Amino acid sequence: MADEQVTITVDGQTVQVPKGALLVEAAKVVDTEIPVFCYHPKLDPVGMCRMCLVETGMPGKNKDGSPELDADGKPIIRFMPKLVTACTTPVADGMHVRTATPRVTDAWRGTLEFLLTSHPLDCPVCDKGGECPLQDLTFAYGPDLSRFYKRNKYHFEKPIPLGDLIWLDRERCIYCARCVRFQEEIAGDPVLKF
């Protein structure tokens, strides 16, 4: 038996996706990448980082249940007043998703700006330079300048060995909890906590 499909529209492109799929995965079907930090397909969704905020809406309905139409006979889409996390929101039949609006891009830029307030910004000497999701997403969606520049950021002890394979660098942590959740959900060895 085939999985039940629902029809959604992402940035004007209509597509069918499995019922219950998360918006972040459904958007990939139409080659729309929604930026994420805390999301991973093998982990339970939590929506902690707020990086994947998008606009969602559903076709409006009249009091009698019939579709609400505009003057041209097209369905009126009623968008939610607040942005939602694409990594925790399942698709619904008829849903419309917008990722390329000023409101969404401003949310992504704001999230990155806040993450960078406590980050050391040592990209040129960082051992993860060129392989860093924070660096990549900042180049793609982040602010050119921060309103929260702090000359004397608090500095933590540099990498603390937690074992032979794990080193904790608290200055670079963005509190996405992927490492904690991996240990709890996948490895079954909950060693790390916030």
Side-chain angles (χ1 to χ4, degrees):
M1 183 173 121
D3 291 336
E4 186 178 346
Q5 299 281 307
V6 297
T7 302
I8 67 167
T9 303
V10 179
D11 291 334
Q13 297 182 67
T14 302
V15 65
Q16 286 199 328
V17 296
K19 182 178 183 177
L22 297 174
L23 293 179
V24 71
E25 289 297 327
K28 291 178 183 179
V29 175
V30 292
D31 293 326
T32 298
E33 194 69 32
I34 297 174
V36 295
F37 286 119
C38 67
Y39 172 77
H40 190 279
K42 293 184 179 180
L43 298 173
D44 292 337
V46 292
M48 288 180 65
C49 71
R50 315 313 273 180
M51 191 63 216
C52 64
L53 292 171
V54 296
E55 290 183 281
T56 59
M58 294 294 288
K61 295 189 179 195
N62 294 312
K63 290 182 181 181
D64 64 0
S66 63
E68 191 177 4
L69 305 175
D70 65 12
D72 297 327
K74 295 180 180 177
I76 294 175
I77 307 304
R78 298 286 180 197
F79 282 89
M80 302 298 286
K82 296 190 181 228
L83 302 176
V84 300
T85 52
C87 73
T88 62
T89 305
V91 296
D93 198 36
M95 180 181 276
H96 284 246
V97 181
R98 296 192 294 204
T99 68
T101 66
R103 191 169 162 216
V104 170
T105 55
D106 189 50
W108 294 350
R109 186 173 36 259
T111 298
L112 287 163
E113 187 174 18
F114 279 119
L115 286 174
L116 294 172
T117 59
S118 58
H119 200 72
L121 301 179
D122 57 357
C123 299
V125 296
C126 175
D127 58 337
K128 295 294 182 190
E131 300 174 0
C132 172
L134 179 59
Q135 187 180 52
D136 295 342
L137 292 181
T138 299
F139 284 139
Y141 308 107
D144 294 333
L145 295 170
S146 176
R147 295 168 291 171
F148 303 104
Y149 179 73
K150 186 176 176 186
R151 186 176 308 278
N152 297 316
K153 294 182 181 187
Y154 185 79
H155 295 286
F156 291 101
E157 176 186 345
K158 281 315 239 177
I160 302 167
L162 299 179
D164 293 339
L165 301 174
I166 300 175
W167 290 71
L168 174 64
D169 189 339
R170 293 181 296 164
E171 284 186 343
R172 293 193 180 122
C173 179
I174 60 168
Y175 302 99
C176 68
R178 280 175 62 167
C179 60
V180 174
R181 291 166 41 232
F182 171 83
Q183 290 186 341
E184 290 174 354
E185 298 174 26
I186 306 293
D189 187 18
V191 176
L192 296 176
K193 295 284 181 197
F194 276 116

